[in-house]
Coordinates of all heavy atoms in Angstrom, one line a residue:
M1016 N -6.2 -15.7 13.7 CA -6.2 -14.3 13.6 C -7.5 -13.7 13.2 O -7.7 -13.2 12.1 CB -5.1 -13.8 12.6 CG -3.7 -14.0 13.1 SD -2.5 -13.3 12.0 CE -3.1 -11.7 11.7
S1017 N -8.5 -13.9 14.0 CA -9.8 -13.4 13.7 C -10.0 -12.2 14.5 O -9.4 -11.9 15.5 CB -10.9 -14.5 14.0 OG -10.8 -14.7 15.4
G1018 N -10.9 -11.3 14.0 CA -11.2 -10.1 14.7 C -12.6 -9.7 14.5 O -13.3 -10.0 13.5
T1019 N -13.2 -9.1 15.5 CA -14.5 -8.6 15.4 C -14.6 -7.4 14.5 O -13.9 -6.5 14.7 CB -15.0 -8.3 16.9 OG1 -14.8 -9.4 17.7 CG2 -16.5 -7.9 16.8
G1020 N -15.5 -7.5 13.6 CA -15.8 -6.4 12.7 C -14.7 -6.2 11.6 O -14.7 -5.2 11.0
T1021 N -13.8 -7.1 11.4 CA -12.7 -7.0 10.5 C -13.0 -7.6 9.1 O -12.3 -7.4 8.2 CB -11.4 -7.6 11.0 OG1 -11.6 -9.0 11.2 CG2 -10.9 -6.9 12.3
G1022 N -14.1 -8.3 9.1 CA -14.5 -9.0 7.8 C -13.8 -10.4 7.8 O -14.1 -11.1 6.8
H1023 N -13.0 -10.7 8.7 CA -12.4 -12.1 8.8 C -13.4 -13.0 9.4 O -14.1 -12.7 10.3 CB -11.2 -12.1 9.7 CG -9.9 -12.1 8.9 ND1 -9.4 -11.1 8.2 CD2 -9.0 -13.1 8.8 CE1 -8.3 -11.4 7.7 NE2 -8.0 -12.6 8.0
R1024 N -13.4 -14.2 8.8 CA -14.3 -15.2 9.4 C -13.6 -15.8 10.6 O -12.4 -15.9 10.7 CB -14.7 -16.3 8.4 CG -13.5 -17.1 7.9 CD -13.9 -18.2 6.9 NE -12.8 -19.1 6.7 CZ -12.0 -19.0 5.7 NH1 -12.1 -18.0 4.8 NH2 -11.0 -19.9 5.5
D1025 N -14.4 -16.2 11.6 CA -13.8 -16.7 12.8 C -13.4 -18.2 12.6 O -14.1 -19.0 12.0 CB -14.8 -16.7 14.0 CG -15.0 -15.3 14.5 OD1 -14.1 -14.5 14.4 OD2 -16.2 -15.0 14.9
R1026 N -12.2 -18.5 13.0 CA -11.7 -19.9 12.9 C -10.5 -20.1 13.8 O -9.9 -19.1 14.3 CB -11.3 -20.2 11.4 CG -10.1 -19.4 10.9 CD -10.0 -19.6 9.4 NE -9.0 -18.8 8.8 CZ -9.1 -17.5 8.6 NH1 -10.0 -16.8 9.1 NH2 -8.1 -16.8 8.0
Q1027 N -10.2 -21.3 14.1 CA -9.2 -21.6 15.1 C -7.8 -21.5 14.5 O -6.9 -21.0 15.1 CB -9.4 -23.0 15.6 CG -10.7 -23.2 16.5 CD -10.6 -22.3 17.7 OE1 -9.6 -22.1 18.3 NE2 -11.7 -21.7 18.0
R1028 N -7.6 -22.0 13.3 CA -6.2 -22.1 12.7 C -6.0 -21.0 11.6 O -6.8 -20.9 10.7 CB -6.0 -23.5 12.1 CG -6.1 -24.6 13.1 CD -6.0 -25.9 12.5 NE -4.9 -26.1 11.6 CZ -4.8 -27.0 10.7 NH1 -5.7 -27.9 10.6 NH2 -3.8 -27.1 9.9
P1029 N -5.0 -20.2 11.8 CA -4.7 -19.2 10.8 C -4.3 -19.8 9.5 O -3.7 -20.9 9.4 CB -3.6 -18.4 11.4 CG -2.9 -19.3 12.4 CD -4.0 -20.2 12.8
T1030 N -4.5 -19.1 8.4 CA -4.1 -19.6 7.1 C -2.6 -19.4 6.9 O -2.0 -18.7 7.7 CB -4.8 -18.8 6.0 OG1 -4.4 -17.4 6.0 CG2 -6.3 -18.9 6.1
V1031 N -2.0 -19.9 5.9 CA -0.6 -19.7 5.6 C -0.3 -18.2 5.4 O 0.6 -17.7 6.0 CB -0.2 -20.5 4.3 CG1 1.2 -20.1 3.9 CG2 -0.3 -22.0 4.5
A1032 N -1.2 -17.5 4.7 CA -1.0 -16.1 4.5 C -1.0 -15.3 5.8 O -0.2 -14.4 6.0 CB -2.1 -15.5 3.5
E1033 N -1.9 -15.7 6.7 CA -2.0 -15.0 8.0 C -0.8 -15.3 8.8 O -0.3 -14.4 9.5 CB -3.3 -15.5 8.7 CG -4.5 -14.9 8.1 CD -5.8 -15.6 8.7 OE1 -5.7 -16.7 9.2 OE2 -6.8 -14.9 8.6
R1034 N -0.2 -16.5 8.8 CA 1.0 -16.8 9.5 C 2.2 -16.0 8.9 O 3.0 -15.5 9.7 CB 1.3 -18.3 9.4 CG 0.4 -19.1 10.4 CD 0.9 -20.6 10.5 NE 1.1 -21.3 9.3 CZ 0.2 -22.1 8.7 NH1 -1.0 -22.2 9.2 NH2 0.5 -22.7 7.6
L1035 N 2.2 -15.9 7.6 CA 3.3 -15.1 7.0 C 3.2 -13.6 7.4 O 4.2 -13.0 7.8 CB 3.3 -15.2 5.5 CG 3.6 -16.6 4.9 CD1 3.4 -16.6 3.4 CD2 5.1 -16.9 5.2
V1036 N 2.0 -13.1 7.4 CA 1.8 -11.7 7.9 C 2.2 -11.5 9.3 O 3.0 -10.6 9.7 CB 0.4 -11.2 7.6 CG1 0.1 -9.9 8.4 CG2 0.1 -11.0 6.2
A1037 N 1.8 -12.5 10.2 CA 2.2 -12.4 11.6 C 3.7 -12.5 11.8 O 4.2 -11.7 12.6 CB 1.5 -13.5 12.4
N1038 N 4.3 -13.3 11.0 CA 5.8 -13.4 11.1 C 6.5 -12.1 10.7 O 7.4 -11.7 11.3 CB 6.3 -14.6 10.3 CG 6.0 -15.9 10.9 OD1 5.8 -16.0 12.1 ND2 6.0 -17.0 10.1
R1039 N 6.0 -11.5 9.6 CA 6.6 -10.3 9.1 C 6.3 -9.2 10.2 O 7.2 -8.3 10.4 CB 5.9 -9.9 7.8 CG 6.4 -10.9 6.7 CD 5.7 -10.6 5.4 NE 6.4 -9.6 4.6 CZ 6.0 -9.2 3.4 NH1 4.9 -9.7 2.9 NH2 6.7 -8.2 2.8
L1040 N 5.2 -9.2 10.8 CA 4.9 -8.2 11.9 C 5.9 -8.4 13.1 O 6.4 -7.4 13.6 CB 3.5 -8.2 12.3 CG 2.5 -7.6 11.3 CD1 1.1 -7.9 11.7 CD2 2.7 -6.1 11.2
R1041 N 6.1 -9.6 13.4 CA 7.0 -9.9 14.5 C 8.4 -9.4 14.2 O 9.2 -8.9 15.0 CB 7.0 -11.4 14.9 CG 5.8 -11.8 15.7 CD 5.9 -13.3 16.1 NE 4.6 -13.8 16.4 CZ 3.8 -14.4 15.6 NH1 4.2 -14.7 14.4 NH2 2.6 -14.8 16.0
R1042 N 8.8 -9.7 12.9 CA 10.2 -9.3 12.5 C 10.3 -7.7 12.5 O 11.3 -7.2 13.0 CB 10.4 -9.8 11.0 CG 11.8 -10.3 10.8 CD 12.0 -10.9 9.5 NE 10.8 -11.0 8.6 CZ 10.3 -12.1 8.1 NH1 10.9 -13.3 8.4 NH2 9.3 -12.1 7.4
A1043 N 9.2 -7.0 12.0 CA 9.2 -5.6 12.1 C 9.3 -5.1 13.5 O 10.0 -4.1 13.8 CB 8.0 -5.0 11.4
A1044 N 8.6 -5.7 14.4 CA 8.6 -5.3 15.8 C 10.0 -5.5 16.4 O 10.5 -4.7 17.1 CB 7.6 -6.2 16.6
G1045 N 10.7 -6.6 16.0 CA 12.1 -6.8 16.4 C 13.0 -5.7 15.9 O 13.9 -5.2 16.6
Q1046 N 12.8 -5.3 14.6 CA 13.6 -4.3 14.0 C 13.4 -3.0 14.8 O 14.3 -2.2 15.1 CB 13.2 -4.0 12.6 CG 13.7 -5.0 11.6 CD 13.2 -4.6 10.2 OE1 12.0 -4.7 9.9 NE2 14.1 -4.2 9.4
L1047 N 12.1 -2.7 15.2 CA 11.8 -1.5 15.9 C 12.5 -1.5 17.3 O 13.0 -0.5 17.7 CB 10.3 -1.3 16.0 CG 9.9 0.1 16.6 CD1 10.5 1.2 15.8 CD2 8.4 0.1 16.5
R1048 N 12.5 -2.6 17.9 CA 13.2 -2.7 19.2 C 14.7 -2.5 19.0 O 15.3 -1.8 19.9 CB 13.0 -4.1 19.9 CG 11.6 -4.3 20.5 CD 11.5 -5.5 21.3 NE 11.6 -6.7 20.5 CZ 10.6 -7.3 19.8 NH1 9.4 -6.8 19.8 NH2 10.8 -8.4 19.1
G1049 N 15.2 -2.9 17.9 CA 16.6 -2.7 17.6 C 16.9 -1.2 17.4 O 17.9 -0.7 17.8
V1050 N 16.0 -0.5 16.7 CA 16.1 1.0 16.6 C 16.1 1.7 17.9 O 16.9 2.6 18.1 CB 15.0 1.5 15.7 CG1 15.0 3.0 15.6 CG2 15.1 0.9 14.2
L1051 N 15.2 1.3 18.8 CA 15.2 1.9 20.1 C 16.5 1.6 20.8 O 17.1 2.6 21.5 CB 14.1 1.3 21.0 CG 14.0 1.7 22.4 CD1 13.8 3.3 22.5 CD2 12.8 1.0 23.1
A1052 N 17.1 0.4 20.7 CA 18.4 0.1 21.4 C 19.5 1.0 20.8 O 20.4 1.5 21.5 CB 18.7 -1.3 21.2
M1053 N 19.4 1.2 19.5 CA 20.4 2.1 18.8 C 20.3 3.5 19.3 O 21.3 4.1 19.6 CB 20.2 2.1 17.3 CG 20.6 0.8 16.6 SD 20.1 0.8 14.8 CE 21.3 2.0 14.2
Y1054 N 19.1 4.0 19.5 CA 18.9 5.3 19.9 C 19.4 5.5 21.4 O 20.1 6.4 21.7 CB 17.4 5.7 19.8 CG 17.1 7.1 20.3 CD1 17.3 8.2 19.5 CD2 16.5 7.2 21.6 CE1 17.1 9.4 20.0 CE2 16.3 8.5 22.1 CZ 16.5 9.6 21.3 OH 16.3 10.9 21.7
E1055 N 19.0 4.5 22.2 CA 19.4 4.6 23.6 C 20.9 4.4 23.8 O 21.5 5.0 24.7 CB 18.7 3.5 24.4 CG 17.2 3.8 24.6 CD 16.5 2.7 25.3 OE1 16.9 1.5 25.3 OE2 15.4 3.0 25.7
A1056 N 21.6 3.8 22.8 CA 23.0 3.6 22.9 C 23.8 4.8 22.3 O 25.0 4.9 22.3 CB 23.5 2.4 22.1
G1057 N 23.0 5.8 21.8 CA 23.6 7.0 21.2 C 24.2 6.8 19.9 O 25.2 7.6 19.5
R1058 N 23.7 5.9 19.1 CA 24.3 5.7 17.7 C 24.0 6.9 16.9 O 23.2 7.8 17.2 CB 23.6 4.5 17.1 CG 23.8 3.2 17.8 CD 25.2 2.6 17.5 NE 25.3 2.1 16.1 CZ 25.0 0.9 15.7 NH1 24.6 0.0 16.5 NH2 25.2 0.6 14.4
H1059 N 24.8 7.0 15.8 CA 24.7 8.2 14.9 C 23.3 8.3 14.3 O 22.7 7.3 13.9 CB 25.7 8.0 13.8 CG 25.9 9.2 13.0 ND1 25.1 9.6 11.9 CD2 26.8 10.2 13.1 CE1 25.5 10.7 11.4 NE2 26.6 11.1 12.1
P1060 N 22.8 9.5 14.3 CA 21.4 9.7 13.7 C 21.2 9.1 12.4 O 20.1 8.6 12.1 CB 21.3 11.3 13.7 CG 22.1 11.7 14.8 CD 23.3 10.8 14.8
A1061 N 22.2 9.2 11.5 CA 22.0 8.7 10.1 C 21.7 7.1 10.2 O 20.9 6.6 9.4 CB 23.2 9.0 9.3
E1062 N 22.4 6.5 11.1 CA 22.2 5.0 11.2 C 20.8 4.7 11.7 O 20.1 3.8 11.2 CB 23.2 4.4 12.2 CG 24.7 4.5 11.7 CD 25.6 3.9 12.8 OE1 25.3 3.0 13.5 OE2 26.7 4.5 12.9
I1063 N 20.4 5.5 12.7 CA 19.0 5.3 13.3 C 18.0 5.6 12.2 O 17.0 4.8 12.1 CB 18.9 6.2 14.5 CG1 19.8 5.8 15.6 CG2 17.4 6.2 15.0 CD1 19.9 6.8 16.7
L1064 N 18.1 6.7 11.5 CA 17.2 7.0 10.4 C 17.1 5.9 9.3 O 16.0 5.6 8.8 CB 17.5 8.4 9.8 CG 17.2 9.5 10.8 CD1 17.8 10.8 10.2 CD2 15.8 9.7 11.2
D1065 N 18.3 5.4 9.0 CA 18.3 4.3 8.0 C 17.4 3.1 8.5 O 16.7 2.5 7.7 CB 19.7 3.8 7.7 CG 20.5 4.8 6.8 OD1 19.9 5.6 6.2 OD2 21.7 4.6 6.8
Q1066 N 17.6 2.8 9.8 CA 16.8 1.7 10.3 C 15.3 2.0 10.4 O 14.5 1.1 10.2 CB 17.4 1.2 11.7 CG 18.8 0.6 11.6 CD 18.8 -0.6 10.6 OE1 18.0 -1.5 10.7 NE2 19.6 -0.5 9.6
I1067 N 15.0 3.2 10.8 CA 13.6 3.6 10.8 C 13.0 3.5 9.4 O 11.9 3.0 9.2 CB 13.4 5.1 11.3 CG1 13.7 5.1 12.8 CG2 12.0 5.6 11.0 CD1 13.8 6.5 13.4
A1068 N 13.7 3.9 8.4 CA 13.3 3.7 7.0 C 13.0 2.2 6.7 O 12.1 1.8 6.0 CB 14.2 4.3 6.0
A1069 N 13.9 1.4 7.2 CA 13.8 -0.1 6.9 C 12.5 -0.6 7.6 O 11.8 -1.4 7.0 CB 15.0 -0.8 7.4
V1070 N 12.3 -0.2 8.8 CA 11.1 -0.6 9.6 C 9.8 -0.1 8.8 O 8.9 -0.9 8.6 CB 11.1 -0.1 11.0 CG1 9.7 -0.3 11.7 CG2 12.2 -0.7 11.8
R1071 N 9.8 1.1 8.4 CA 8.7 1.6 7.6 C 8.4 0.8 6.3 O 7.3 0.5 6.0 CB 8.9 3.1 7.3 CG 8.8 4.0 8.5 CD 9.0 5.4 8.1 NE 7.8 6.0 7.5 CZ 7.6 7.2 7.1 NH1 8.6 8.1 7.2 NH2 6.5 7.6 6.6
G1072 N 9.5 0.5 5.7 CA 9.4 -0.3 4.5 C 8.8 -1.7 4.7 O 8.0 -2.2 4.0
A1073 N 9.3 -2.3 5.8 CA 8.7 -3.6 6.2 C 7.2 -3.5 6.6 O 6.5 -4.4 6.2 CB 9.5 -4.1 7.4
L1074 N 6.9 -2.4 7.3 CA 5.4 -2.3 7.6 C 4.6 -2.0 6.4 O 3.5 -2.5 6.3 CB 5.3 -1.2 8.7 CG 5.8 -1.5 10.1 CD1 5.7 -0.3 11.0 CD2 5.0 -2.7 10.6
D1075 N 5.1 -1.2 5.4 CA 4.4 -1.0 4.2 C 4.2 -2.3 3.4 O 3.1 -2.5 2.9 CB 5.2 0.0 3.3 CG 5.1 1.5 3.8 OD1 4.2 1.8 4.7 OD2 5.9 2.3 3.3
A1076 N 5.2 -3.1 3.4 CA 5.1 -4.4 2.7 C 4.0 -5.3 3.4 O 3.2 -5.9 2.7 CB 6.4 -5.1 2.7
V1077 N 4.0 -5.3 4.7 CA 2.9 -6.0 5.4 C 1.6 -5.4 5.1 O 0.6 -6.2 4.8 CB 3.2 -6.0 6.9 CG1 2.0 -6.6 7.7 CG2 4.5 -6.8 7.2
A1078 N 1.5 -4.1 5.1 CA 0.2 -3.5 4.8 C -0.3 -3.8 3.4 O -1.5 -4.1 3.2 CB 0.3 -2.0 5.0
L1079 N 0.6 -3.8 2.5 CA 0.2 -4.2 1.1 C -0.2 -5.6 1.0 O -1.1 -6.0 0.2 CB 1.4 -3.8 0.1 CG 1.6 -2.4 -0.1 CD1 2.9 -2.1 -0.8 CD2 0.4 -1.7 -0.8
S1080 N 0.5 -6.5 1.7 CA 0.1 -7.9 1.7 C -1.3 -8.1 2.3 O -2.1 -8.9 1.7 CB 1.1 -8.7 2.6 OG 0.8 -10.0 2.6
I1081 N -1.6 -7.4 3.3 CA -2.9 -7.5 3.9 C -4.0 -6.9 2.9 O -5.0 -7.5 2.7 CB -3.0 -6.7 5.3 CG1 -2.2 -7.5 6.3 CG2 -4.4 -6.5 5.8 CD1 -1.9 -6.7 7.6
L1082 N -3.6 -5.8 2.3 CA -4.5 -5.2 1.3 C -4.8 -6.2 0.1 O -5.9 -6.3 -0.3 CB -3.9 -3.9 0.8 CG -4.7 -3.2 -0.3 CD1 -6.1 -2.8 0.2 CD2 -4.0 -2.0 -0.8
D1083 N -3.7 -6.8 -0.3 CA -3.8 -7.8 -1.4 C -4.8 -8.9 -1.0 O -5.6 -9.3 -1.8 CB -2.5 -8.3 -1.8 CG -1.7 -7.4 -2.7 OD1 -2.2 -6.4 -3.2 OD2 -0.5 -7.6 -2.8
E1084 N -4.6 -9.4 0.2 CA -5.4 -10.5 0.6 C -6.9 -10.1 0.7 O -7.8 -10.8 0.3 CB -4.9 -11.0 2.0 CG -5.7 -12.3 2.4 CD -5.1 -12.8 3.7 OE1 -3.9 -12.7 4.0 OE2 -5.9 -13.4 4.5
H1085 N -7.1 -8.9 1.2 CA -8.5 -8.4 1.3 C -9.1 -8.2 -0.1 O -10.2 -8.5 -0.3 CB -8.5 -7.1 2.1 CG -9.8 -6.5 2.3 ND1 -10.8 -7.1 2.9 CD2 -10.3 -5.3 1.8 CE1 -11.9 -6.4 2.9 NE2 -11.6 -5.2 2.2
A1086 N -8.3 -7.6 -1.0 CA -8.7 -7.4 -2.4 C -9.1 -8.7 -3.0 O -10.2 -8.8 -3.7 CB -7.7 -6.7 -3.2
V1087 N -8.3 -9.8 -2.8 CA -8.7 -11.1 -3.4 C -10.0 -11.6 -2.8 O -10.8 -12.1 -3.5 CB -7.5 -12.1 -3.1 CG1 -8.0 -13.5 -3.4 CG2 -6.3 -11.7 -3.9
S1088 N -10.2 -11.4 -1.5 CA -11.4 -11.8 -0.8 C -12.6 -11.0 -1.4 O -13.6 -11.6 -1.7 CB -11.3 -11.5 0.7 OG -12.6 -11.7 1.3
C1089 N -12.4 -9.7 -1.6 CA -13.5 -8.9 -2.2 C -13.7 -9.3 -3.6 O -14.9 -9.4 -4.1 CB -13.1 -7.4 -2.2 SG -13.1 -6.7 -0.6
D1090 N -12.6 -9.7 -4.4 CA -12.8 -10.1 -5.7 C -13.6 -11.3 -5.9 O -14.4 -11.5 -6.7 CB -11.4 -10.3 -6.3 CG -11.3 -10.4 -7.8 OD1 -12.2 -9.7 -8.5 OD2 -10.5 -11.1 -8.4
R1091 N -13.4 -12.3 -4.9 CA -14.2 -13.5 -4.9 C -15.6 -13.2 -4.7 O -16.5 -14.0 -5.2 CB -13.7 -14.5 -3.8 CG -12.5 -15.3 -4.2 CD -12.2 -16.4 -3.2 NE -10.8 -16.3 -2.9 CZ -10.3 -15.9 -1.7 NH1 -11.0 -15.7 -0.7 NH2 -9.0 -15.9 -1.5
Q1092 N -15.9 -12.2 -3.9 CA -17.3 -11.9 -3.6 C -18.0 -10.9 -4.7 O -19.2 -10.7 -4.7 CB -17.4 -11.2 -2.3 CG -16.9 -12.1 -1.1 CD -16.8 -11.3 0.2 OE1 -17.2 -10.2 0.3 NE2 -16.1 -12.0 1.1
A1093 N -17.1 -10.4 -5.6 CA -17.6 -9.5 -6.6 C -18.6 -10.1 -7.5 O -18.5 -11.3 -7.9 CB -16.5 -8.9 -7.4
L1094 N -19.6 -9.4 -7.9 CA -20.7 -9.9 -8.7 C -20.4 -9.8 -10.2 O -20.9 -10.5 -11.0 CB -22.0 -9.2 -8.4 CG -22.5 -9.4 -7.0 CD1 -23.7 -8.5 -6.7 CD2 -22.8 -10.8 -6.7
D1095 N -19.5 -8.8 -10.6 CA -19.3 -8.6 -12.0 C -17.8 -8.2 -12.3 O -17.1 -7.9 -11.4 CB -20.3 -7.6 -12.6 CG -20.2 -6.3 -11.9 OD1 -19.1 -5.9 -11.4 OD2 -21.2 -5.6 -11.8
A1096 N -17.5 -8.3 -13.5 CA -16.1 -7.9 -14.0 C -15.8 -6.5 -13.7 O -14.6 -6.1 -13.3 CB -15.9 -8.2 -15.4
E1097 N -16.8 -5.6 -13.8 CA -16.5 -4.2 -13.5 C -16.1 -4.0 -12.0 O -15.2 -3.2 -11.8 CB -17.8 -3.4 -13.8 CG -17.6 -1.9 -13.7 CD -18.8 -1.1 -14.1 OE1 -19.6 -1.6 -14.8 OE2 -18.9 0.1 -13.6
T1098 N -16.7 -4.6 -11.1 CA -16.3 -4.5 -9.7 C -14.9 -5.1 -9.5 O -14.1 -4.5 -8.7 CB -17.4 -5.3 -8.8 OG1 -18.7 -4.7 -9.1 CG2 -17.1 -5.1 -7.4
R1099 N -14.6 -6.2 -10.1 CA -13.3 -6.8 -10.0 C -12.2 -5.8 -10.5 O -11.2 -5.6 -9.9 CB -13.2 -8.1 -10.7 CG -13.9 -9.3 -10.0 CD -13.5 -10.6 -10.6 NE -14.0 -10.8 -12.0 CZ -15.2 -11.2 -12.3 NH1 -16.1 -11.4 -11.4 NH2 -15.6 -11.3 -13.6
R1100 N -12.5 -5.2 -11.6 CA -11.6 -4.2 -12.2 C -11.4 -3.0 -11.2 O -10.3 -2.5 -11.0 CB -12.0 -3.7 -13.5 CG -11.6 -4.5 -14.7 CD -11.9 -3.9 -16.0 NE -13.2 -3.5 -16.3 CZ -14.2 -4.2 -16.7 NH1 -14.0 -5.5 -17.0 NH2 -15.4 -3.8 -16.9
A1101 N -12.5 -2.6 -10.6 CA -12.4 -1.5 -9.6 C -11.5 -1.8 -8.4 O -10.7 -1.0 -8.0 CB -13.8 -1.1 -9.2
V1102 N -11.7 -3.1 -7.9 CA -10.8 -3.5 -6.8 C -9.4 -3.6 -7.2 O -8.5 -3.1 -6.5 CB -11.3 -4.9 -6.3 CG1 -10.3 -5.5 -5.3 CG2 -12.7 -4.8 -5.6
T1103 N -9.1 -4.1 -8.4 CA -7.7 -4.1 -8.9 C -7.2 -2.7 -9.1 O -6.0 -2.5 -8.7 CB -7.7 -4.9 -10.3 OG1 -8.2 -6.2 -10.1 CG2 -6.3 -5.0 -10.8
D1104 N -7.9 -1.8 -9.6 CA -7.5 -0.4 -9.8 C -7.2 0.2 -8.4 O -6.2 0.9 -8.3 CB -8.5 0.4 -10.5 CG -8.6 0.0 -12.0 OD1 -7.7 -0.7 -12.5 OD2 -9.6 0.5 -12.6
L1105 N -8.0 -0.1 -7.4 CA -7.8 0.5 -6.1 C -6.5 0.0 -5.5 O -5.7 0.8 -5.0 CB -9.0 0.2 -5.2 CG -8.9 0.6 -3.7 CD1 -8.8 2.1 -3.7 CD2 -10.0 0.1 -2.9
T1106 N -6.3 -1.3 -5.6 CA -5.1 -1.8 -5.0 C -3.8 -1.3 -5.7 O -2.8 -1.0 -5.1 CB -5.0 -3.3 -4.9 OG1 -5.2 -3.9 -6.2 CG2 -6.1 -3.9 -4.0
A1107 N -3.9 -1.1 -7.0 CA -2.8 -0.6 -7.8 C -2.5 0.9 -7.3 O -1.4 1.3 -7.2 CB -3.1 -0.7 -9.3
T1108 N -3.6 1.6 -7.1 CA -3.5 3.0 -6.7 C -2.8 3.1 -5.3 O -1.9 3.9 -5.1 CB -4.8 3.7 -6.7 OG1 -5.4 3.7 -8.0 CG2 -4.7 5.2 -6.2
V1109 N -3.2 2.3 -4.4 CA -2.6 2.3 -3.1 C -1.2 1.9 -3.2 O -0.3 2.5 -2.5 CB -3.4 1.3 -2.1 CG1 -2.7 1.2 -0.8 CG2 -4.8 1.9 -1.9
R1110 N -0.8 0.9 -4.0 CA 0.6 0.5 -4.1 C 1.4 1.7 -4.6 O 2.5 1.9 -4.1 CB 0.7 -0.7 -5.1 CG 0.4 -2.0 -4.4 CD 0.7 -3.1 -5.4 NE 0.5 -4.4 -4.7 CZ 1.3 -4.9 -3.9 NH1 2.4 -4.3 -3.6 NH2 1.0 -6.0 -3.3
R1111 N 0.9 2.4 -5.6 CA 1.7 3.6 -6.2 C 1.8 4.6 -5.1 O 2.9 5.2 -5.0 CB 0.9 4.2 -7.4 CG 1.1 3.4 -8.7 CD 0.7 4.2 -9.9 NE -0.7 4.6 -9.8 CZ -1.8 3.9 -10.2 NH1 -1.6 2.6 -10.6 NH2 -3.0 4.4 -10.1
Y1112 N 0.8 4.9 -4.3 CA 0.9 5.8 -3.2 C 2.0 5.4 -2.2 O 2.8 6.2 -1.8 CB -0.4 6.0 -2.5 CG -0.3 6.8 -1.3 CD1 -0.1 8.2 -1.3 CD2 -0.3 6.2 0.0 CE1 0.0 9.0 -0.2 CE2 -0.2 7.0 1.1 CZ 0.0 8.3 1.1 OH 0.1 9.1 2.2
V1113 N 2.0 4.2 -1.8 CA 2.9 3.7 -0.8 C 4.3 3.8 -1.3 O 5.2 4.2 -0.6 CB 2.6 2.3 -0.3 CG1 3.7 1.7 0.5 CG2 1.3 2.3 0.5
H1114 N 4.5 3.5 -2.5 CA 5.9 3.5 -3.1 C 6.4 4.9 -3.4 O 7.6 5.1 -3.5 CB 6.0 2.6 -4.3 CG 5.9 1.1 -4.0 ND1 6.8 0.5 -3.2 CD2 4.9 0.2 -4.3 CE1 6.4 -0.8 -3.0 NE2 5.3 -1.0 -3.7
A1115 N 5.5 5.8 -3.5 CA 5.8 7.2 -3.9 C 6.3 8.0 -2.7 O 6.9 9.0 -2.8 CB 4.6 7.9 -4.5
R1116 N 6.0 7.5 -1.5 CA 6.4 8.2 -0.2 C 7.8 8.4 -0.1 O 8.7 7.8 -0.3 CB 5.8 7.6 1.0 CG 4.3 7.7 1.1 CD 3.8 7.2 2.4 NE 4.3 6.0 2.9 CZ 4.5 5.8 4.2 NH1 4.2 6.7 5.1 NH2 5.0 4.7 4.6

């Protein structure tokens, strides 16, 4: 899972963390296909909205996982403790925002 301009180093084999993220994204995509099928079948709006909330929650969890991995990478490259604290504070702030929605 390498990408141009993403900060990821190019390599042939994904890490365990990358495989887990990819699996979670595939699962969320499957959930979303299920929501579409529910909508097309005329299921009750409350049921559809519950499933949309579940998909959003799954995507938020994936986004936080990616953010955590990136923060750890930045933390390894940080030159001083102050920068490491700033990265930790940033990720905590993003987590609070995501959970407050």
